Amino acid sequence: MFPANLERQQLTTKQDIKEHCQFFWHRQSRKTFRRYLSVDAYVLENESSVFLYKKQGEDRLYHPKDEVCPLEKDDFAIGIMTEFQLGMLKKLGNHIICLDATHGMNAYDFKLITVLVIDEYREGIPVAWLLCNRETYTALSLFLSLLRHQVGSLNPSVIVTDKAPQYHSAFVDVFQLNCSKKLLCN
């Protein structure tokens, strides 16, 4: 059951996701210079929610600054998780974890990778997002390692992914799981 003192800013709606997407792909930010400025502005305005940021064309991570960057120079990645999402991941992350990507939704062909938990009403709650140009084991491992740094250890009884093996492998390796039941989503 959700706490009685939930406020609007603690809940994610379809409109919130739409506004995030509009921010990233606003018509005026199609030029490279403007695009970088708008994403940088977003990261600065939402520092508490952004736990991973790597610019395309750069060799290093901008957030967190101390972390070694295993991604390639041309990779882009931004990981987002609000305080509410962190709380839900801590509360529900040891039951069922779902990892899936949305493809072909933007002009840049970036993937929106969602980490989702299931509540007691069998409803999915997105608890973290990765917007990235590739869904490789390396990118997923970096994202999940920084997620683990935020949440601590998780030991879900079930991990739901699609057929792409890197999702399950990266999760199991990062969270050092001996075994979790793997289900494939259709």
Side-chain angles (χ1 to χ4, degrees), residues 5-6 9-11 18 23 32 40 42 44 47 53 68 79 108-109 115-116 132 137 159 166 185:
N5 60 351
L6 278 181
Q9 65 265 26
Q10 294 172 305
L11 301 173
K18 181 180 177 182
F23 184 89
T32 303
D40 284 349
Y42 176 85
L44 285 174
E47 250 184 310
Y53 179 42
V68 175
Y108 304 108
D109 197 33
V115 179
L116 191 97
C132 191
Y137 176 86
I159 300 172
Q166 66 268 29
C185 65

Side-chain angles (χ1 to χ4, degrees), residues 36-47:
Y36 288 142
L37 288 180
S38 65
V39 175
D40 284 349
Y42 176 85
V43 170
L44 285 174
E45 288 175 15
N46 297 281
E47 250 184 310

Side-chain angles (χ1 to χ4, degrees), residues 96-112:
I96 300 172
I97 296 271
C98 306
L99 296 119
D100 198 19
T102 305
H103 303 90
M105 298 301 289
N106 56 71
Y108 304 108
D109 197 33
F110 289 169
K111 283 71 173 158
L112 176 62

Side-chain angles (χ1 to χ4, degrees), residues 92-98 116-118 122 156-160:
L92 302 169
N94 288 315
H95 302 290
I96 300 172
I97 296 271
C98 306
L116 191 97
V117 294
I118 308 297
R122 309 300 278 172
S157 54
V158 177
I159 300 172
V160 181

Side-chain angles (χ1 to χ4, degrees), residues 57-157:
E58 301 284 337
D59 287 329
R60 63 188 179 97
L61 290 178
Y62 283 79
H63 190 69
K65 290 184 178 175
D66 298 341
E67 194 71 28
V68 175
C69 183
L71 301 177
E72 295 181 14
K73 186 174 183 171
D74 289 333
D75 286 340
F76 170 82
I78 185 167
I80 301 169
M81 179 173 56
T82 66
E83 283 295 318
F84 172 76
Q85 290 173 311
L86 176 61
M88 289 292 100
L89 182 56
K90 286 179 177 180
K91 179 181 176 183
L92 302 169
N94 288 315
H95 302 290
I96 300 172
I97 296 271
C98 306
L99 296 119
D100 198 19
T102 305
H103 303 90
M105 298 301 289
N106 56 71
Y108 304 108
D109 197 33
F110 289 169
K111 283 71 173 158
L112 176 62
I113 298 164
T114 304
V115 179
L116 191 97
V117 294
I118 308 297
D119 69 9
E120 59 271 17
Y121 303 106
R122 309 300 278 172
E123 295 289 330
I125 300 172
V127 292
W129 293 290
L130 172 64
L131 187 63
C132 191
N133 62 312
R134 297 187 309 142
E135 52 185 326
T136 62
Y137 176 86
T138 302
L140 291 166
S141 293
L142 173 64
F143 170 66
L144 292 169
S145 293
L146 295 171
L147 186 74
R148 183 177 186 202
H149 181 73
Q150 299 283 320
V151 74
S153 64
L154 293 174
N155 191 11
S157 54

